[in-house]
Amino acid sequence: MHRFFAFISLLLVFQGSLSSVHAIPPDQQTYLIQLQHHSRELKLAEKRYWHILLHYKSTLTGEWLSEADGPDFFFSPEGQTNPEAELEATLAFLFSDIARGRFKQPPICAFPARYQWIKEQLNINTEYLPHVECPDYEKFLKLVNPQAITLVFASAYINSPSSMFGHTFFRLDQKTEGPPTPLLDYVINYAANTSTDGGVMYVLNGLAGGFKGTFSIMPYYMKIQEYNEWESRDLWEYRLQLSPEQIQRILQHLWELSNTYFDYFFFKENCSYHLLSLLEVADPELDFQSRFHVWAAPVETLRMVARQPSLVRDVVFRPARSTHIRFKYQQLSEQEQQWFHQITQQIDNVRLPEFEQLDPARKAAILDTISDYLRYQMAEDKNNRALYQEQQQTILSARSQLGIPSPPLEIPPVTRPPDESHETSRIMLGTGMNDGISFMELGLRASYHELMDNTSGYSPGAQIEFFNLRLRYIPANSQVQMPQFLLINVLSLFPMDSVFRQISWKASVELYQPTYEICEDCLLFRGTGGIGLASSQEWDHRTFYYGLLEMMLDYGPALPENYRLGGGLRLGTMTDLTPRWKLHGFLYTQVFQKSSETVISEGVVQQRYTLEQNQMLLLEGKWQEKHQEWSLKFGLNF
């Protein structure tokens, strides 16, 4: 009797599914009922691979919710929250040839990964299924035709909010009969579809999931042009060790994802997070996405992939155009560097008799460097692109007359590979003295990297911090204070030299406790912006010198009229004395309106010693006219 009612219930569910599809012959109906019954017996809807394919995640209440947000991705109206309903609806639709998805294909063609997995799990007799052709899908497979997949990391581009943390994408390494031709390969890219490149609404939409994120396919040379040429970002290529079957599963699922989109969130559901799902489709033993709960920085996802045993085969560094130029320029003698500047300032100088008399190999080195520089300028200075193109023709003409090839060039990276970088969250514990009163301090940072952190794997001179909180306990009076809560702190020190001229800048928003007599234990809200110049002693940025002009707005009830405006000058230097030992010192003078303390000056010296990749000691001293403070802290990144 129990089986009878179960059969009736199953039949009603089946009829409901069919009513939304179309009528199919009785023998197929019977077979479909058997398959649905069998899928329940096997509990396929509870299988991890089904959840991976549908992007289901468990919510705080224990329910299932798919991260895919496009309605065309689901066959059941309840598909986004009900794995079993979606599985049974998918089974029913496999018996139809009704067009589905972005390219209006039969379900078997629109969702090849689901179809393949269900067919294998239930051992489906395909004679009961409609015979369909999938020309668009076959054309896609023939186009990309990969024999391997490479995970590519584009280093951080601090001048763009969407690229401040770097970017990752997959390259599909095509099968070739000759040597590899990576420039002709295609890439899998996941990105937000935005209508603007900046502004408050851009940031708010990125934080609140206001953009739709989609996967796309494009030639690799376009990404090289975008990152290496236009944005001067080094690329790191991590070739993955995947079997042909795993690559095939990635392509099948990638095709399915053309039928949906994901709400894009800067901090978690971003470019890197959803790429991880493709690796889980390839190998369900990999469990990457569940390790990210609040944010997923690209370098964190890269580090996780690189640390997976036997997943990465090798790593290749592809330097940016600016990295090419810096390296080549450093290889020139002082006289050759003068020729570089004479010719770039007046292109006709390439025809001077004195230049013609140089050794052909050295002339080639100078002209190669100038050619790279002009290509860089074409990307940077779009208003004068035609002029630089004309100059490039002159240089290439002179270079071709030499009739000698350029020697092989191996450009070393500025820093270690990004997978060797430190973890981005940090806790700090320390102690110190403030005006002779001892204190203990706890620091918690959500993300990501500051100047005094271990630089290995990060861009030198770049700093991005989110939610950095410092709490201080004073044993003498049992008080707990909050000296500072940084909401965001961004600093870009771009070293200027005789070739590159770009300003440095900073921006920060924080709550802080003044160390001077404006109030007792009060907090002020501060927004700061600044611009300036920086230089480095060596091309690898080991020693920085910088100066920044800053403007700040303080707000708080302790201030006259609740606010004050100020300006400041910051002069500093920072050097890596050894790979583990860094020294940073700066002088800072602030001038305020509407304040009894109109001029405030301080000097700060910091020393960091790296114990391990994620452990450091920080010794810091601060001096103001009436106050002194020193502290020693231990930092642990995690």
Side-chain angles (χ1 to χ4, degrees):
M1 184 62 69
H2 174 74
R3 290 184 176 180
F4 172 77
F5 284 115
F7 174 78
I8 293 298
S9 300
L10 185 63
L11 182 60
L12 291 175
V13 171
F14 162 70
Q15 288 177 333
S17 299
L18 279 185
S19 64
S20 62
V21 183
H22 73 310
I24 60 176
D27 59 333
Q28 291 182 329
Q29 292 183 19
T30 303
Y31 187 54
L32 174 56
I33 293 174
Q34 293 173 357
L35 292 177
Q36 290 178 321
H37 182 64
H38 190 37
S39 74
R40 288 189 172 186
E41 289 181 333
L42 296 177
K43 298 183 178 179
L44 290 189
E46 300 177 16
K47 299 285 187 183
R48 170 169 162 74
Y49 201 71
W50 180 246
H51 294 172
I52 293 174
L53 288 177
L54 273 297
H55 296 257
Y56 288 121
K57 296 290 182 292
S58 179
T59 66
L60 295 176
T61 60
E63 305 293 326
W64 292 107
L65 176 65
S66 173
E67 291 176 334
D69 297 295
D72 289 343
F73 195 62
F74 305 99
F75 289 104
S76 167
E78 304 173 13
Q80 193 173 24
T81 58
N82 190 330
E84 186 167 354
E86 181 59 24
L87 179 59
E88 295 200 358
T90 302
L91 262 173
F93 271 89
L94 292 181
F95 283 79
S96 80
D97 56 2
I98 297 177
R100 297 281 301 190
R102 178 183 178 185
F103 298 108
K104 305 303 178 189
Q105 311 158 88
I108 289 177
C109 301
F111 297 91
R114 286 192 217 179
Y115 164 65
Q116 190 65 33
W117 183 74
I118 292 174
K119 186 180 74 170
E120 292 173 0
Q121 296 297 309
L122 298 177
N123 193 24
I124 294 178
N125 184 348
T126 56
E127 292 183 358
Y128 286 94
L129 302 180
H131 177 71
V132 296
E133 300 288 340
C134 306
D136 292 328
Y137 176 57
E138 296 297 332
K139 189 184 301 181
F140 160 72
L141 294 179
K142 187 176 180 181
L143 176 71
V144 295
N145 190 29
Q147 62 176 348
I149 292 181
T150 297
L151 176 61
V152 183
F153 178 82
S155 56
Y157 182 53
I158 203 167
N159 288 336
S160 170
S162 62
S163 305
M164 294 170 73
F165 298 97
H167 181 65
T168 56
F169 55 91
F170 285 134
R171 188 184 71 204
L172 303 173
D173 303 337
Q174 289 186 310
K175 297 175 183 174
T176 60
E177 295 182 356
T181 53
L183 295 184
L184 301 179
D185 292 335
Y186 287 88
V187 302
I188 302 172
N189 190 56
Y190 176 79
N193 299 312
T194 62
S195 55
T196 175
D197 290 333
V200 175
M201 291 308 299
Y202 177 83
V203 174
L204 292 178
N205 277 317
L207 295 175
F211 296 126
K212 291 181 179 179
T214 55
F215 285 88
S216 59
I217 300 286
M218 62 187 69
Y220 188 41
Y221 70 82
M222 292 179 63
K223 302 303 286 184
I224 290 177
Q225 186 178 49
E226 176 183 355
Y227 295 129
N228 272 174
E229 305 285 343
W230 296 347
E231 298 182 353
S232 296
R233 300 166 67 177
D234 296 328
L235 298 178
W236 293 86
E237 301 169 346
Y238 291 74
R239 193 174 186 194
L240 304 180
Q241 198 154 267
L242 299 173
S243 69
E245 293 75 19
Q246 290 174 324
I247 293 174
Q248 186 68 18
R249 286 200 287 271
I250 287 178
L251 296 181
Q252 289 174 345
H253 189 55
L254 178 65
W255 185 254
E256 294 182 342
L257 293 176
S258 66
N259 300 305
T260 189
Y261 63 87
F262 300 82
D263 292 338
Y264 192 98
F265 295 86
F266 280 163
F267 286 133
K268 184 184 174 187
E269 290 192 50
N270 52 32
C271 61
S272 291
Y273 175 79
H274 282 299
L275 281 185
L276 296 177
S277 69
L278 294 179
L279 293 178
E280 293 183 2
V281 166
D283 182 0
E285 295 296 321
L286 300 175
D287 187 10
F288 288 146
Q289 285 191 321
S290 66
R291 304 183 199 181
F292 297 98
H293 303 288
V294 180
W295 55 80
V299 70
E300 291 179 317
T301 65
L302 173 71
R303 196 183 300 118
M304 185 174 294
V305 171
R307 291 177 181 174
Q308 184 67 30
S310 305
L311 184 54
V312 174
R313 180 176 299 176
D314 52 42
V315 182
V316 174
F317 174 63
R318 186 181 292 275
R321 179 67 56 193
S322 58
T323 308
H324 271 272
I325 298 169
R326 288 182 188 277
F327 180 78
K328 289 180 178 178
Y329 184 82
Q330 291 294 324
Q331 307 309 305
L332 301 178
S333 67
E334 186 175 343
Q335 181 190 22
E336 291 165 350
Q337 290 179 355
Q338 291 176 357
W339 276 114
F340 171 90
H341 293 292
Q342 288 182 40
I343 296 174
T344 52
Q345 290 168 8
Q346 177 53 259
I347 207 70
D348 289 336
N349 286 340
V350 75
R351 302 187 182 94
L352 289 175
E354 295 87 347
F355 183 73
E356 294 288 349
Q357 293 172 4
L358 294 180
D359 177 77
R362 300 317 303 164
K363 279 197 294 186
I366 298 171
L367 294 176
D368 286 347
T369 309
I370 294 174
S371 176
D372 277 341
Y373 176 75
L374 293 175
R375 290 177 63 181
Y376 171 83
Q377 289 295 83
M378 279 186 253
E380 284 289 308
D381 188 358
K382 296 180 176 60
N383 293 331
N384 293 306
R385 180 172 293 173
L387 172 64
Y388 291 121
Q389 287 175 333
E390 183 180 343
Q391 294 178 344
Q392 177 76 320
Q393 289 299 320
T394 302
I395 295 301
L396 292 179
S397 175
R399 178 66 179 86
S400 65
Q401 293 174 14
L402 296 176
I404 56 175
S406 300
L409 194 62
E410 185 173 347
I411 299 177
V414 174
T415 184
R416 299 291 301 165
D419 64 282
E420 297 181 17
S421 60
H422 64 74
E423 304 284 347
T424 57
S425 298
R426 187 183 69 190
I427 181 171
M428 292 196 83
L429 296 171
T431 184
M433 299 284 285
N434 182 298
D435 293 337
I437 300 175
S438 63
F439 64 84
M440 291 180 283
E441 188 166 298
L442 167 67
L444 295 170
R445 184 184 69 190
S447 189
Y448 165 77
H449 175 75
E450 67 161 311
L451 290 181
M452 292 307 291
D453 280 336
N454 184 357
T455 312
S456 178
Y458 289 94
S459 300
Q463 170 177 285
I464 308 173
E465 287 188 290
F466 283 98
F467 306 119
N468 190 356
L469 172 67
R470 290 167 53 208
L471 296 174
R472 182 171 290 182
Y473 175 68
I474 315 295
N477 54 17
S478 301
Q479 273 192 344
V480 176
Q481 299 176 345
M482 186 178 74
Q484 188 180 42
F485 179 32
L486 273 167
L487 300 176
I488 181 171
N489 182 19
V490 183
L491 172 63
S492 173
L493 297 180
F494 191 94
M496 297 183 69
D497 52 35
S498 57
V499 180
F500 296 100
R501 301 179 186 277
Q502 186 169 329
I503 64 169
S504 299
W505 61 275
K506 68 164 294 183
S508 63
V509 179
E510 63 183 308
L511 276 173
Y512 79 104
Q513 185 173 13
T515 56
Y516 35 88
E517 289 81 6
I518 191 170
C519 59
E520 184 175 352
D521 300 332
C522 67
L523 288 174
L524 299 180
F525 174 86
R526 168 172 287 189
T528 305
I531 59 172
L533 304 175
S535 66
S536 63
Q537 188 177 33
E538 300 177 12
W539 88 280
D540 60 358
H541 305 188
R542 287 301 181 189
T543 300
F544 282 89
Y545 307 94
Y546 65 90
L548 294 169
L549 286 173
E550 302 179 7
M551 294 290 292
M552 66 281 293
L553 170 64
D554 283 355
Y555 178 83
L559 295 171
E561 301 181 33
N562 294 332
Y563 78 97
R564 65 178 180 179
L565 290 170
L569 173 64
R570 188 185 300 263
L571 299 173
T573 182
M574 179 177 63
T575 185
D576 288 312
L577 297 173
T578 72
R580 289 176 178 266
W581 185 15
K582 175 179 283 188
L583 178 64
H584 181 206
F586 62 87
L587 298 173
Y588 186 36
T589 297
Q590 307 168 71
V591 180
F592 292 97
Q593 292 180 322
K594 299 179 181 294
S595 172
S596 56
E597 295 281 347
T598 56
V599 179
I600 302 167
S601 299
E602 68 177 358
V604 177
V605 175
Q606 299 172 313
Q607 292 188 69
R608 180 265 291 158
Y609 187 79
T610 300
L611 302 172
E612 300 288 344
Q613 183 185 33
N614 291 301
Q615 299 178 18
M616 71 170 185
L617 287 175
L618 180 65
L619 178 62
E620 182 178 69
K622 296 181 181 178
W623 292 267
Q624 293 182 356
E625 183 181 358
K626 301 177 182 177
H627 303 278
Q628 295 82 41
E629 177 179 306
W630 66 267
S631 62
L632 177 63
K633 304 171 188 174
F634 168 75
L636 174 66
N637 293 87
F638 59 95

